[in-house]
Amino acid sequence: MATKETGGMIVLGVDVGGTFTDLILADLEKQELTIHKTSSTPANPAIGVVNGLTAICEKAGIRASDINSLFHGTTVGTNAMLEHDGAVTGMITNEGFRDILHIGRHQRPQHYSIMQDLPWQNRPLIRRRYRHTVAGRLDAAGQELIPLDEDALRKAARTLAAEGVEAVLVGFLFSYVNPMHERRAAEILRNEMPDVFVTTSADVAPQFREFERFTTGAMSAFIGPKVRRYITQLQDELSLQGLKGELHVMTSSGGVATPKMIAEKPASTLLSGLVAGVRGGAWVGSHIGANRLITLDIGGTSADIGIVLDGRLTEADARSASIAGFPVMLPMIDIHTIGAGGGSIAYVDRGGAFRVGPESAGADPGPAAYGQGGDRPTVTDANLVLGRLAPQNFLGGDMTLDTGAARRVITQLAGELGRTPEETAEGALTVLNSNMANAIRSRTVQKGIDPREFTLSGFGGAGPLHAAEVAGMLGVRRVLIPPHPGITSALGLLTADLEYHALRTAFSVKGNVDHPRLTGLFQDMETELNDIFEQDGVPHAKRRMLREGDLRYVGQGYELKIDFPDGPLDHSALEQVWQDFHDRHRAEYGHAFEASPIEIVTVKVRGLGEVDKLGTPPLATAAGSAEPVGQGRCVFRVNDTLETFQTPYFDRASLPTGQSLTGPAILLQTDSTTVVPPGWNYVVDKFANVLMTREEAQDADQS
């Protein structure tokens, strides 16, 4: 293979999805990007990564050994949870507490439903037969009441080993205060069961609330062997290809971690790929001053929604953070996923209601338009019938869509509804867009946030098709479409730093705070994280420590996260913390109790280690003209009436920068298609983003 001289620092982002593996290669010195998509290999995702690596190196004219760092977003752990396809897992816990994982809490996810699904009971991560108890007990202060019964522990280990258990969680009461019993138990288990993955609840989530802590630990054990095998196999495969650069894996908190850290805490990879998409959208938005952003990542089966508030990715709170219905106590970006995508099936339900999704045609057979045997109407078929997809120009011309098949399945559905095919297709899009708009309202309006003050960023394969109409439903005035919408998640991987977390339980009430102890807790955590960064070879100058704490009014059930200042936490330093909590409580709930005592429950440190990554987006290079490459009849709803427009199709890459253009228009590129509806203007900015604004921005109904 012929190679070219490289610019010195080359990084590669690889995001593995269910259908495609997306790659983006960046020469940081030359500010050059190369992108590539290849088919994923679900049976062994590492093969798809290696295939993509080989292809993108060929395309860029470099060797794998020229790559300095590879940043990876993986769905291995997430899929194991969603598909309930993890390890056979066992548990060691205190006598009398065998069934905490089954009982859960008194709260019911759906208060009035007698048919609700309780996953921790219907499909437990650790079956009861594999949950063993041993004597040993600490009190709430972490003092030993009953010694750990090590003989019983060894007997339980031998029983679990004989039953073929692949992973074990050790979860004891009050281990978040003192993990001595858990650590000793884990040591014994590793000696007795050297080939079994062993973790402890204090290592995964050292916080109070035993059900959530044990469940989070169970997740880590359940997915641990699969994640560890995958990362080890991926490293071996990449090494065989000559890659010498460091591997970093995206975590649920929005940072990246080393393979060593992932092997110890595999649950940190949950939502890995989805978080990368929100990061990518936020990074693109930050360079055009859009620091209040709604990200809408639409693929074939789902739409993932994230909120960027004043430049920060919003995090999930303890009340709502969950994976596959299981509560999780990990630092996690707040991402809301609904069943809405290009493959979502439109149908009439048994009650006569017109619905779209969450059932999807998937990649096989896919929409009828794919010509692979699909015989049910999907959103992709509806877009094709309405003229919003160019049948000869799908995936940059690599695939031709079957217009006749799409119209046939839409016409069949139209017969059930008593409507025309165009009315039915547009109705399907309206239902889908409404579902996504309602999901966004649940993350904004219902939390006191006005979406009209935000920019909506649409990406993923189908995001640019729907972004403008979803924005219109919300009253959002500006839409941002990144240069390469289909690989925005891979792009987001190249914008993250190393990120690790430490936390301690504090339980300190205003007016009775032990200031030296509180300061000492933060200093201990900073030392702990500095030791990890030292092992990773991160220089001191490239480390940052951010202090946080979970606070609540005394007697409340849940906490709010508040920033803490650096340095000694004396009385004056905490005064600002107390006031910030009142302000945050008022913003979150609409009121504050200024006279009520405040309790610091947990204190945390977020450690950031700076790595070489993308600085600013490359500047647009196209100096073309707005000459269409074709035109077609497209149907849009205007003032509650369907109208047909003779609509130009443009090659997005050839559009000039800075020139204001008007819709309707269809913008074509390899990884997505952008729809500019009537009544919207659009312009390509200096970074090659498409910015859409409504001609007459009217406030949408926020109810």
Side-chain angles (χ1 to χ4, degrees), residues 265-520:
K265 299 183 178 181
S268 64
T269 63
L270 295 169
L271 299 185
S272 171
L274 305 186
V275 170
V278 180
R279 278 206 69 96
W283 183 80
V284 172
S286 68
H287 289 92
I288 65 166
N291 291 322
R292 295 170 72 86
L293 198 73
I294 300 166
T295 64
L296 182 61
D297 182 358
I298 309 176
T301 60
S302 65
D304 305 311
I305 297 158
I307 306 295
V308 180
L309 193 59
D310 298 327
R312 296 181 63 171
L313 280 63
T314 57
E315 295 186 19
D317 56 46
R319 293 162 292 166
S320 59
S322 65
I323 298 289
F326 292 89
V328 58
M329 293 178 71
L330 291 172
M332 183 172 292
I333 299 304
D334 188 11
I335 298 176
H336 186 47
T337 300
I338 64 170
S344 294
I345 294 171
Y347 64 100
V348 178
D349 69 13
R350 288 184 296 177
F354 185 24
R355 299 189 180 277
V356 181
E359 185 180 359
S360 172
D364 184 16
Y370 284 7
Q372 298 175 352
D375 59 0
R376 301 181 68 183
T378 68
V379 169
T380 296
D381 299 314
N383 273 308
L384 186 57
V385 166
L386 296 175
R388 302 184 188 189
L389 291 172
Q392 306 299 323
N393 229 311
F394 195 66
L395 297 180
D398 289 343
M399 181 176 180
T400 299
L401 297 179
D402 188 338
T403 305
R407 176 166 284 275
R408 186 160 51 251
V409 293
I410 292 293
T411 300
Q412 291 171 354
L413 179 62
E416 295 181 52
L417 295 168
R419 300 284 185 175
T420 68
E422 285 71 23
E423 288 174 334
T424 301
E426 200 281 333
L429 299 192
T430 297
V431 171
L432 184 89
N433 293 337
S434 297
N435 291 342
M436 291 186 284
N438 286 334
I440 292 172
R441 289 189 184 100
S442 74
R443 298 339 245 187
T444 54
V445 177
Q446 293 179 19
K447 294 188 175 185
I449 299 171
D450 188 348
R452 294 172 296 185
E453 300 173 357
F454 286 66
T455 297
L456 188 146
S457 179
F459 50 89
L465 277 165
H466 299 269
E469 291 185 336
V470 172
M473 292 178 174
L474 295 165
V476 171
R477 295 164 168 79
R478 185 165 72 158
V479 170
L480 164 65
I481 308 296
H484 306 292
I487 52 92
T488 301
S489 290
L491 175 75
L493 293 167
L494 301 185
T495 69
D497 287 317
L498 285 171
E499 182 173 323
Y500 302 133
H501 298 257
L503 59 88
R504 300 286 190 273
T505 298
F507 285 134
S508 298
V509 179
K510 180 182 179 182
N512 193 31
V513 175
D514 184 339
H515 296 280
R517 172 179 173 269
L518 187 62
T519 301

Side-chain angles (χ1 to χ4, degrees), residues 12-184:
L12 175 65
V14 184
D15 178 57
V16 178
T19 305
F20 291 106
T21 294
D22 302 330
L23 302 97
I24 180 166
L25 186 78
D27 187 319
L28 300 182
E29 186 174 314
K30 294 182 177 181
Q31 290 244 308
E32 294 178 352
L33 297 181
T34 305
I35 66 171
H36 182 70
K37 293 176 80 75
T38 189
S39 296
S40 294
T41 52
N44 183 356
I47 295 175
V49 174
V50 169
N51 291 341
L53 171 68
T54 303
I56 202 166
C57 285
E58 182 74 34
K59 186 180 291 188
I62 65 168
R63 294 179 294 267
S65 58
D66 295 325
I67 297 172
N68 301 93
S69 296
L70 190 153
F71 297 82
H72 181 37
T74 174
T75 57
V76 169
T78 306
N79 288 344
M81 284 297 301
L82 295 175
E83 298 167 6
H84 202 73
D85 183 25
V88 178
T89 306
M91 181 179 186
I92 304 292
T93 190
N94 301 95
E95 284 185 337
F97 291 87
R98 183 182 186 186
D99 293 318
I100 283 180
L101 285 176
H102 179 87
I103 296 169
R105 292 198 171 273
H106 71 275
Q107 298 104 323
R108 294 163 60 86
Q110 297 170 321
H111 289 296
Y112 304 108
S113 172
I114 61 173
M115 300 294 290
Q116 65 179 301
D117 176 43
L118 298 177
W120 52 88
Q121 294 181 0
N122 296 339
R123 47 185 184 281
L125 299 173
I126 305 177
R127 302 181 70 177
R128 194 172 193 272
R129 71 180 69 170
Y130 302 132
R131 300 199 296 264
H132 291 250
T133 64
V134 297
R137 188 70 177 270
L138 306 178
D139 66 14
Q143 300 299 312
E144 186 175 73
L145 298 176
I146 302 173
L148 180 65
D149 188 339
E150 297 187 3
D151 290 336
L153 185 62
R154 291 186 177 90
K155 181 180 178 181
R158 289 191 288 270
T159 300
L160 289 171
E163 292 174 327
V165 164
E166 303 167 277
V168 178
L169 165 70
V170 181
F172 292 143
L173 296 182
F174 305 115
S175 62
Y176 61 89
V177 181
N178 183 353
M180 57 179 274
H181 278 184
E182 284 196 355
R183 287 177 178 170
R184 177 57 181 156

Side-chain angles (χ1 to χ4, degrees), residues 10 64-70 238 242-248:
I10 297 178
S65 58
D66 295 325
I67 297 172
N68 301 93
S69 296
L70 190 153
L238 293 174
L243 184 79
K244 299 182 177 68
E246 298 177 336
L247 173 65
H248 296 108

